[in-house]
Amino acid sequence: PVSLVTSSAYFLVVHPAVAAKSVKELIALAKERPGQITYASPGNGSSPHLAGELFKSMAGVNMVHVPYRGGNPAMIDVLGGQVSLYFASGPISLPQVKTGRLRLLAVTSAARSELVPDVPTVAEAGVPGYETTSWYGITVPARTSKAGIAKVQQDAQRALRLPDVKERLFVQGIETVGTMPEQFAKIIRDDLKKYAAVVKDAGIRAE
């Protein structure tokens, strides 16, 4: 591990026909109607699938996963009301929120998104400790020298501080991060542990 480069929240969006205007209302609705609330994902084992399963587990609700072959087909059916909700990326969800075709309940990151600062995190809104994001990082072969790792890490940090880089990513809902190698290594270890438990508990299998 060299450095975490970017991180982006998912946006918990529901079709307007869903009678929930907050995460707490969504949880209450799902508990009233176990197995009747559905959530879309781009496919089995995808990050939005794991986000949904983590939500189910931590909120103690029974929702039905509906996998698609890609994000756009999933979004089409959520917009059409065939599926109740979606843990979606910013680029495909926020334009629909702005036009009123979807309702945004929360963001999945630990902190609020600068794109929608008035929208709470899932943790704030009713599921304490919930956090999941999509991230990218830099790794190098294990035999790379410490000096080589340091050089790549420093170059990445400089690039991530460039205003045009930050702006290009920000408009896509992506936050630039930049970490030390040991910090990135801990993120990888923690995520492997967290999602291994999610996969096991949900019985997710590779297709």
Side-chain angles (χ1 to χ4, degrees):
V2 176
S3 177
L4 180 67
V5 176
T6 66
S7 178
S8 53
Y10 289 107
F11 297 79
L12 173 51
V13 291
V14 300
H15 186 271
V18 176
K21 294 185 178 180
S22 69
V23 170
K24 286 184 177 179
E25 289 182 5
L26 176 62
I27 293 170
L29 185 66
K31 288 183 175 180
E32 273 179 30
R33 305 174 185 174
Q36 295 183 40
I37 302 297
T38 55
Y39 75 96
S41 88
N44 282 321
S46 63
S47 294
H49 179 196
L50 298 180
E53 292 300 328
L54 183 64
F55 182 86
K56 285 171 57 179
S57 174
M58 295 184 69
V61 295
N62 176 14
M63 303 190 305
V64 176
H65 174 227
V66 184
Y68 289 81
R69 292 186 177 181
N72 288 331
M75 178 57 75
I76 288 169
D77 273 9
V78 176
L79 288 169
Q82 286 91 345
V83 184
S84 308
L85 61 93
Y86 192 5
F87 290 86
S89 66
I92 68 170
S93 62
L94 292 181
Q96 308 301 338
V97 171
K98 289 177 181 177
T99 61
R101 299 184 69 190
L102 292 176
R103 182 185 303 127
L104 175 58
L105 301 187
V107 298
T108 66
S109 47
R112 295 192 180 195
S113 168
E114 293 182 18
L115 287 170
V116 283
D118 294 334
V119 176
T121 66
V122 174
E124 288 178 314
V127 189
Y130 183 94
E131 177 192 358
T132 186
T133 59
S134 172
W135 55 257
Y136 288 90
I138 298 172
T139 60
V140 293
R143 295 180 182 179
T144 303
S145 68
K146 289 185 178 180
I149 291 172
K151 177 68 165 61
V152 175
Q153 192 270 342
Q154 290 162 10
D155 288 348
Q157 292 276 29
R158 279 194 291 271
L160 292 170
R161 286 196 292 266
L162 295 173
D164 59 335
V165 171
K166 294 176 73 73
E167 178 60 25
R168 277 175 176 265
L169 292 170
F170 176 74
V171 297
Q172 299 178 60
I174 301 171
E175 177 187 356
T176 55
V177 186
T179 65
M180 297 300 290
E182 57 272 18
Q183 293 172 311
F184 186 31
K186 184 177 186 303
I187 289 168
I188 294 171
R189 288 195 304 270
D190 290 349
D191 272 8
L192 283 171
K193 182 178 179 180
K194 176 164 72 175
Y195 295 115
V198 171
V199 168
K200 182 179 178 181
D201 292 345
I204 297 171
R205 297 285 184 269
E207 292 186 329

